[in-house]
Amino acid sequence: MIFITVKFNVKPEWVERWPELTADFTAATRAEPGNLWFDWSRSLENPNEFVLVEAFKDDAAEAHVGSDHFQQAMKDMVQALVETPKIINTVIEGEDWSRMGELTVE
């Protein structure tokens, strides 16, 4: 799978509106064939930082980046950002999360 993590440093005046700004993009991406997950979190250390963790089947990422909703999101989000987002994009084995062996809950 293609595993991607992106950190978005959002302008303070956009922080509370960020979930609304990205809602259509999130819903459309989650509906894409080949999307495995597309999950947002917010940093505990920096309340202006949102973290996106997403994954796609190997053949689905190109269609995602070429989609109309992706292109629109890039135009919509830039106004709310302090800086260019930071990204890690890599290919890893599997199509789901593994269980953490060091911490087992029974």
Side-chain angles (χ1 to χ4, degrees), residues 16-67:
E16 297 308 317
R17 294 183 286 168
W18 185 257
E20 180 183 338
L21 179 66
T22 60
D24 290 343
F25 175 48
T26 299
T29 301
R30 288 178 176 166
E32 289 178 23
N35 176 256
L36 298 171
W37 60 81
F38 195 85
D39 298 325
W40 291 96
S41 299
R42 192 168 177 184
S43 172
L44 296 176
E45 289 80 27
N46 177 358
N48 296 342
E49 182 180 84
F50 289 85
V51 179
L52 176 61
V53 179
E54 56 186 304
F56 297 88
K57 292 183 179 179
D58 290 345
D59 59 350
E62 186 175 335
H64 168 63
V65 173
S67 69

